[in-house]
Amino acid sequence: MNPRINCSEDLEKSHLYLCFLIIFSFLTQFGQSQTSKYNVLYLNSYNLGYTWSDSINKGIEKALTKKNVNLYIECLDAKRFGQTHFNTFTTYLQKKYENIKFDAIITSDNDALDYVEQFGIKLYPKIPVVYCGIKNPEDYNFEGYPIYGFIESTDPMKTIGVLIKLNPKAKSLLFITDNTTTGTVIKRDYDNIRKLYPSVKMNFISDIDKNELLNIIKKGDEGDIVYLLRINRDKHGNLLDYMDFFQEIAKKSPKPVFADEEAIIGKGVVGGKANRGFTQGYCAGELAFNLLKNPEKIVAHVNKVEDEYIFDHKQLVRFNIDKSNLPPESVIINKPAFQFIGYIIWLAIIIIILLATVIFLIALNRKKLKAELKVNEQMAEINKRNILLEQSYNKLSTLNYDLEKANGQLFSLNASLKEAKQKAEESERLKSSFLANLSHEIRTPLNAILGFSSLLIEPDLKEGAKENYFNIIQSNSQSLLILIDDILDFSKIEAGQVQVHLEEFVINEILEELYLSFNQRALSPSVQLRLNEEVHKISVEMLTDKIRFKQIFTNLLTNAIKFTEKGYIEFGFQIINPTEIKFYVKDTGIGIDKKYHTTIFERFRKVEDSTRFYSGSGLGLAICKRLVEMLGGKIWVEGDKEVGSTFYFTHPNFTIIKKEEKESRTLTKEGSNYDWEGKVIAIAEDEDTNFWLLEQLLIDHGAKVKHFPDGASIVDYFTNEDISNISLILMDIKMPVMDGFKAFELIKKLHPNLIIIAQTAYAMNDDIAAIKEKGFDDYISKPINKEVFKETINKYLSKEE
Ligand code: ADP
C-alpha cells in the first residue's frame, strides 16, 4: 500500500499537534473504562466536531455501546495537519497507551488508514484493523494482515444517471474536486464516467482557486448541473473548510448543485447519493466486535455499505425539480422543517382554537350562568305570575261556572219564558176564543129567556104553549146560571181563594142526592141514568168537602148528559182495594179522541171540530181537575171518539164503614104535597125577585111569609115584636144595612131555639162553610132548586108538629 500524499514535516505544527493531543486525550479518555474488556482504538482521520466525523463516531459508539468493549478515540486531524505529524502521533500513542493492550483498531477515512499502514501495524502488530469511509481499498496493500473494512460505495454511474434524469434539460455537468488524495481518486473515477454520457458535456475543475471558482459558479456557464466532489485544499495547498466552501458555492450557483457528502446536503446543495457516516461507523464497530468475538470466522477484507439518495426539499422546489423522478426510497430532508412549521402553525391554530374555545366556553358558561340566573329570576317571576294566573283562572273558572250556571238558569228561564210566552199566547188565544164563546154562551140562553118570557104575556096563549115556554125559560136560565157559576168558581180557584173544608160524609147519600137531582132533569128519552149498584150495597165514609165533591160530580154528569144522545150514563164508585177508591161517570156519548185526553182538563179547552159543536165555556173540567187535586186525588178520562167516555177521579181518606145488602131504594120523585097551613116564615131578603120566588114556593103550600128587606129590620122585629107565631127564618147573607151573619148572631142570642136557615148563592161555597161555622141550622143554595127547597123547609116545619 503506497502513501498517496506526502507532506513536508513541520516541527512547529508537530509541537502544536502534540499539545493539542495531550489536551484532547484528557477529554477523550474521560469516562473510558480500564476493565478487562476488549480494548478498541478508533482512529479518526479528522476531528470531532465535523459532521462526517461525528456521524461515524456515533455509529461506532452505537455498535459497541453495551458490549464488552472499551473504546479509545483518537483523532489525526488530518484536515488541518495533513500527515506530517504521523511520527509525533505515534509517540503520543505510545506514551498515552503504554499500559493498554489494544485488541483492535478502527479507522475512518483515508488518513487514519494511511497511518495504520505506515505506523500502526508496526505499533500494534497482528491485531485486526477495521476501516471505513474510504473509496479506494485497492490502493492499500495489507497482504497478510487482518485488515477488513467498508468502502464508500458511491456509484458514480448511477449518481450521474440520476442527476441527468432529475435535470433532463441539462447540457453540461461541472464536476468540482481538489487535488488531495481523495480528490485525485475521485477525479480518476469521473474521467471514466465522462465517457458514459457523451451527450452531456462533462467539465472538471480540480485546481481550486476559491475566488476564481466562485466567479465561474456565479456565471453558471460551465455546467447546467454542478457536482461537488471532495475538496479539502485549494490549488495552492491551503486547507479549505469544504463545508463553508460548498455552502458558498451552492448559495451563489444559479444552477443546481449536487454532492455526495451527507454533511452538506441540506445546506444549499440539492442532494446526492451519500454515504452516511453513521452507517459506516456502525458497520465498522459491529465488524470489529465480531472479529474479536469470533477470530476464526472468515470475513471479506473489502465490504460495501449501501449509499442512500438524500435530497433537500427546499432546493428541489427552488430548482423546480420533479420529485417523481427521484429514485425510490430517496430520503428528503428539510421537508419536515416545512411540515414542522406547518405542524407548529397547525398546533398554534389548534391551541388558539382550543384557547378560544375554552375562553368562549368560559364566557359562554358565565353567560349561561348569568342567563340561568336571569332565567331563574324569570322563572320565579313566571311562577309567581303562574300562581296569579292560576288564581285568576280559578276565579275565572268559578265565574265561568257561575256564568254557566246563570246561563243554564237563563236558558231554562228562557225556555220557561218561551213556554210561558207560548202559554200566554195560547192563553190569549183561548181567552179570545173563550170570550167569543162566552158571549155566545150568554146570549143564547138570554135570547131564549127574553124571547119566551115576552111570549108568555101574549093574551091568547094556548095552555100547553105556556108550560112549554116556561120550561124553555127554566132550562136556559139554568144554563146561564151554570155558566156564571163556572166562571165565578174558576176565577176564585185561579185567585187561590177557594179552600176545601173537610168533613166526614157518607158518600152514598151524596151520590143518591145527585142521582135524584139529575134524574129529574130533562134527559133524552133514549138515555138512561144509572147509579152503580155498589152504592146501594157499600157505605163509604169519607173526609171530604161535600160541596166540592158534589160539584165535581155535577160537572161530570152535566157533561155526560150534554154529550150523550142515546144509551146510558152511569156513575158511582169502584173500590179497588181498601186504600183505593175510584169515582166515575161513564157515558155512551160521542166520546173524546184520545189525543185530547189531557188537554180537555185545561181551561177554556173544548174539543171542537167541524163535526161537532156544543155549547159550553171549557171551564168545567178545569174546575174539576183543580178541585180533585185540592181534595188530594187525580182525575182522568178513558174511552175514545164515538165509543163514549169514562171520567175517573180518586179520593183519599175514605173508610168502608159497612158492607151490607142495602134495601134497594126506589128513587122516585117525592110528593110535593106539603101542608104548611098556619105556618109563618120570616124571610130576610133584599132582592125582591128572590123574595117573590120564595114567597110563591111557600104560599103554594099554605104558609104565610113576613118579609124583611135587610138584616137590621129583621133583628129589630125579633127584638121588639112577638114572634111566637114564626116557625123559622130564611136569612139571606148579603144584605144592606146589616148582613145575614150579624142578624143571625143577634137573633140567635135572643131566640136560641129558633130555626134559622141561611140562603146563599150557589157559587159562594165558602159562604156555606162560614154559615155552618156560625151555627145556622141549615142552608139553601141559590138559585133555589124547588124540590130541594121544599124538602129542606118541610124537614123543619114537620118537626115543629
Ligand atoms: P164545557 O163547558 O165545554 O163542557 P168542559 O171543561 O166541561 O167544558 O169540557 C171540555 C170539553 O170536553 C167539552 O167541550 C167537550 O168537548 C169535552 N167533553 C167533556 N165531557 C165530555 C163527555 N162526557 N163526552 C164527550 N166530550 C166531553
Side-chain angles (χ1 to χ4, degrees):
M1 186 182 264
N2 299 318
R4 284 159 289 128
I5 301 167
N6 290 315
C7 295
S8 62
E9 290 278 329
D10 185 336
L11 199 62
E12 264 184 54
K13 274 188 181 173
S14 294
H15 286 144
L16 186 69
Y17 174 68
L18 197 61
C19 292
F20 172 75
L21 279 180
I22 289 163
I23 296 160
F24 189 71
S25 69
F26 283 108
L27 294 170
T28 52
Q29 282 196 32
F30 184 74
Q32 287 179 356
S33 168
Q34 296 294 322
T35 58
S36 59
K37 295 177 178 176
Y38 295 122
N39 292 318
V40 175
L41 174 66
Y42 164 44
L43 293 176
N44 187 319
S45 292
Y46 307 119
N47 206 347
L48 296 181
Y50 291 113
T51 311
W52 173 255
S53 298
D54 289 348
S55 188
I56 290 177
N57 197 22
K58 275 183 192 163
I60 294 169
E61 280 181 338
K62 173 89 180 168
L64 298 178
T65 312
K66 294 182 186 171
K67 285 190 177 127
N68 195 24
V69 170
N70 289 323
L71 183 67
Y72 299 90
I73 303 167
E74 292 300 335
C75 296
L76 286 163
D77 205 1
K79 278 192 197 290
R80 282 191 294 165
F81 299 111
Q83 295 185 352
T84 53
H85 60 295
F86 279 6
N87 274 325
T88 319
F89 186 71
T90 303
T91 313
Y92 159 74
L93 284 181
Q94 281 174 326
K95 270 203 164 188
K96 187 175 176 183
Y97 300 110
E98 59 188 346
N99 298 324
I100 292 174
K101 184 178 172 289
F102 290 112
D103 299 300
I105 298 170
I106 298 173
T107 67
S108 65
D109 294 298
N110 288 85
D111 291 300
L113 191 59
D114 287 349
Y115 175 76
V116 169
E117 189 185 38
Q118 293 168 39
F119 302 94
I121 53 172
K122 289 174 197 158
L123 193 61
Y124 305 111
K126 293 184 183 173
I127 61 166
V129 176
V130 177
Y131 60 84
C132 67
I134 66 163
K135 290 186 171 75
N136 53 340
E138 69 279 6
D139 290 343
Y140 295 92
N141 186 10
F142 284 108
E143 201 64 51
Y145 287 95
I147 294 180
Y148 312 89
F150 294 88
I151 58 165
E152 287 183 57
S153 62
T154 309
D155 187 344
M157 300 283 279
K158 277 188 186 172
T159 307
I160 301 299
V162 169
L163 296 190
I164 291 167
K165 194 182 173 192
L166 288 176
N167 302 276
K169 291 175 185 167
K171 295 267 186 300
S172 57
L173 204 160
L174 174 61
F175 295 96
I176 301 169
T177 186
D178 62 5
N179 289 321
T180 57
T181 316
T182 312
T184 309
V185 171
I186 293 167
K187 199 161 84 180
R188 189 191 62 206
D189 285 346
Y190 279 91
D191 280 339
N192 297 329
I193 294 162
R194 201 193 306 225
K195 293 165 193 165
L196 292 171
Y197 298 98
S199 62
V200 181
K201 193 184 170 194
M202 305 275 180
N203 297 320
F204 209 96
I205 299 173
S206 59
D207 292 327
I208 304 295
D209 178 277
K210 195 177 170 185
N211 294 329
E212 263 176 41
L213 183 63
L214 285 174
N215 280 335
I216 293 166
I217 290 293
K218 242 190 234 176
K219 282 182 194 160
D221 296 337
E222 293 294 315
D224 295 328
I225 305 165
V226 179
Y227 192 180
L228 295 174
L229 299 167
R230 286 288 170 88
I231 302 170
N232 286 323
R233 291 177 186 272
D234 62 11
K235 67 178 179 183
H236 311 294
N238 296 323
L239 197 64
L240 287 168
D241 183 340
Y242 80 91
M243 280 292 290
D244 291 347
F245 188 45
F246 276 12
Q247 276 184 52
E248 211 172 342
I249 291 170
K251 202 175 158 191
K252 288 188 173 160
S253 171
K255 303 287 169 64
V257 178
F258 293 85
D260 289 336
E261 291 291 335
E262 180 197 13
I264 55 167
I265 298 171
K267 292 178 176 154
V269 171
V270 177
K273 191 168 189 194
N275 229 198
R276 295 182 69 196
F278 178 85
T279 319
Q280 289 272 329
Y282 184 82
C283 292
E286 278 274 295
L287 181 61
F289 184 72
N290 287 333
L291 287 169
L292 289 172
K293 255 187 118 184
N294 304 302
E296 305 306 320
K297 200 174 174 188
I298 298 167
V299 179
H301 287 280
V302 179
N303 300 284
K304 273 187 181 179
V305 174
E306 272 307 311
D307 294 343
E308 294 164 56
Y309 283 105
I310 305 170
F311 294 97
D312 183 346
H313 183 264
K314 256 191 211 168
Q315 301 308 323
L316 288 172
V317 173
R318 180 183 160 204
F319 292 106
N320 204 18
I321 295 169
D322 186 358
K323 275 186 263 177
S324 64
N325 288 330
L326 294 177
E329 294 177 8
S330 294
V331 176
I332 298 174
I333 60 166
N334 272 339
K335 192 179 174 186
F338 167 74
Q339 283 177 341
F340 181 68
I341 290 165
Y343 288 144
I344 297 246
I345 290 165
W346 277 113
L347 196 68
I349 289 169
I350 289 166
I351 287 169
I352 288 166
I353 289 171
L354 280 174
L355 272 173
T357 310
V358 168
I359 291 164
F360 176 71
L361 285 175
I362 290 169
L364 203 72
N365 201 35
R366 276 190 179 184
K367 220 172 175 181
K368 194 183 155 198
L369 285 174
K370 264 188 186 176
E372 268 177 10
L373 209 72
K374 210 170 176 184
V375 163
N376 283 344
E377 280 171 14
Q378 281 173 352
M379 279 301 287
E381 183 65 18
I382 285 170
N383 281 342
K384 224 161 113 185
R385 285 187 187 179
N386 230 9
I387 290 166
L388 286 174
L389 272 174
E390 261 178 30
Q391 284 172 353
S392 309
Y393 176 79
N394 286 342
K395 276 183 191 167
L396 276 175
S397 290
T398 319
L399 203 67
N400 201 28
Y401 174 76
D402 290 346
L403 279 173
E404 268 178 15
K405 211 167 132 187
N407 200 27
Q409 283 168 351
L410 280 173
F411 191 76
S412 61
L413 197 69
N414 200 25
S416 309
L417 281 172
K418 264 188 189 167
E419 203 183 334
K421 190 185 163 215
Q422 275 173 359
K423 275 188 183 165
E425 282 168 2
E426 177 69 359
S427 177
E428 190 60 29
R429 192 186 64 74
L430 288 172
K431 210 164 78 185
S432 307
S433 118
F434 167 72
L435 287 174
N437 191 37
L438 193 67
S439 163
H440 173 264
E441 293 300 315
I442 293 170
R443 281 171 192 279
T444 310
L446 268 178
N447 271 343
I449 293 165
L450 290 170
F452 285 103
S453 30
S454 64
L455 285 176
L456 272 177
I457 53 165
E458 290 288 324
D460 49 353
L461 202 63
K462 287 178 188 166
E463 202 46 46
K466 187 180 168 189
E467 199 181 328
N468 199 17
Y469 293 165
F470 176 77
N471 283 339
I472 291 168
I473 291 167
Q474 275 280 307
S475 149
N476 280 292
S477 304
Q478 197 65 33
S479 299
L480 205 56
L481 193 69
I482 288 170
L483 180 68
I484 291 162
D485 282 346
D486 278 355
I487 293 166
L488 288 174
D489 248 1
F490 187 77
S491 53
K492 281 186 89 176
I493 288 168
E494 288 285 279
Q497 289 172 358
V498 173
Q499 285 174 349
V500 286
H501 304 280
L502 302 176
E503 277 181 274
E504 291 285 348
F505 285 104
V506 177
I507 291 305
N508 305 53
E509 287 170 9
I510 302 171
L511 295 177
E512 280 165 1
E513 257 178 49
L514 282 166
Y515 177 81
L516 198 63
S517 166
F518 275 90
N519 207 29
Q520 286 171 0
R521 294 195 184 177
L523 284 172
S524 161
S526 51
V527 177
Q528 192 194 1
L529 183 67
R530 295 178 193 167
L531 181 61
N532 189 324
E533 281 303 301
E534 290 291 303
V535 179
H536 305 307
K537 296 173 188 166
I538 302 164
S539 274
V540 176
E541 199 176 75
M542 219 162 63
L543 187 68
T544 189
D545 184 320
K546 187 183 170 185
I547 311 284
R548 297 302 175 191
F549 183 80
K550 235 174 145 178
Q551 192 182 350
I552 295 163
F553 258 113
T554 306
N555 276 349
L556 295 178
L557 284 167
T558 308
N559 278 348
I561 290 164
K562 186 161 68 176
F563 296 108
T564 308
E565 284 174 12
K566 60 178 181 193
Y568 66 89
I569 296 163
E570 185 185 297
F571 70 104
F573 58 75
Q574 292 168 1
I575 294 168
I576 312 297
N577 59 49
T579 57
E580 204 178 341
I581 191 165
K582 250 175 23 177
F583 296 94
Y584 72 94
V585 175
K586 178 178 165 64
D587 65 54
T588 55
I590 59 169
I592 305 164
D593 194 323
K594 279 194 161 79
K595 65 182 176 190
Y596 298 116
H597 279 194
T598 310
T599 50
I600 50 165
F601 291 99
E602 292 170 12
R603 58 187 182 168
F604 311 133
R605 290 281 188 178
K606 293 173 73 177
V607 180
E608 278 175 359
D609 53 37
S610 54
T611 59
R612 56 190 266 180
F613 181 78
Y614 291 88
S615 64
S617 62
L619 287 173
L621 288 179
I623 293 169
C624 285
K625 186 169 186 280
R626 301 286 171 92
L627 293 177
V628 167
E629 284 167 358
M630 284 168 85
L631 291 171
K634 56 177 187 166
I635 187 167
W636 71 98
V637 66
E638 288 177 10
D640 207 347
K641 201 173 171 184
E642 292 165 7
V643 175
S645 311
T646 308
F647 283 85
Y648 291 97
F649 70 93
T650 58
H651 197 296
N653 308 323
F654 70 95
T655 328
I656 303 164
I657 52 170
K658 53 186 174 185
K659 188 181 176 191
E660 59 183 25
E661 193 68 31
K662 282 180 88 185
E663 241 179 65
S664 178
R665 281 167 57 185
T666 315
L667 298 163
T668 54
K669 284 185 188 174
E670 290 228 356
S672 56
N673 293 326
Y674 302 111
D675 183 12
W676 300 330
E677 214 40 68
K679 303 289 180 192
V680 179
I681 289 158
I683 300 172
E685 173 61 72
D686 57 331
E687 289 285 339
D688 286 343
T689 48
N690 286 348
F691 168 69
W692 292 332
L693 180 62
L694 293 172
E695 184 184 37
Q696 192 58 53
L697 289 171
L698 290 168
I699 60 173
D700 277 355
H701 297 281
K704 287 186 179 157
V705 293
K706 186 148 184 65
H707 182 212
F708 300 96
D710 54 60
S713 59
I714 194 169
V715 169
D716 186 49
Y717 182 81
F718 274 77
T719 311
N720 304 314
E721 302 300 326
D722 177 17
I723 53 111
S724 54
N725 63 333
I726 293 181
S727 299
L728 57 84
I729 303 172
L730 285 171
M731 181 81 81
D732 186 20
I733 300 298
K734 283 196 175 162
M735 285 185 295
V737 190
M738 183 190 285
D739 70 13
F741 289 127
K742 188 72 194 165
F744 167 82
E745 222 175 274
L746 296 170
I747 295 167
K748 262 289 178 188
K749 257 188 197 167
L750 294 169
H751 310 285
N753 295 327
L754 189 65
I755 302 294
I756 306 176
I757 297 171
Q759 41 162 334
T760 182
Y762 180 64
M764 305 299 166
N765 286 313
D766 285 347
D767 293 348
I768 293 165
I771 287 161
K772 284 183 178 174
E773 213 173 292
K774 274 278 173 197
F776 280 91
D777 294 287
D778 212 332
Y779 70 91
I780 292 164
S781 299
K782 286 194 232 177
I784 306 278
N785 181 309
K786 241 167 44 181
E787 297 310 319
V788 175
F789 174 76
K790 285 176 188 174
E791 207 178 317
T792 309
I793 297 296
N794 192 53
K795 202 160 72 180
Y796 295 101
L797 291 183
S798 57
K799 271 185 193 167
E800 267 199 335
E801 289 156 11

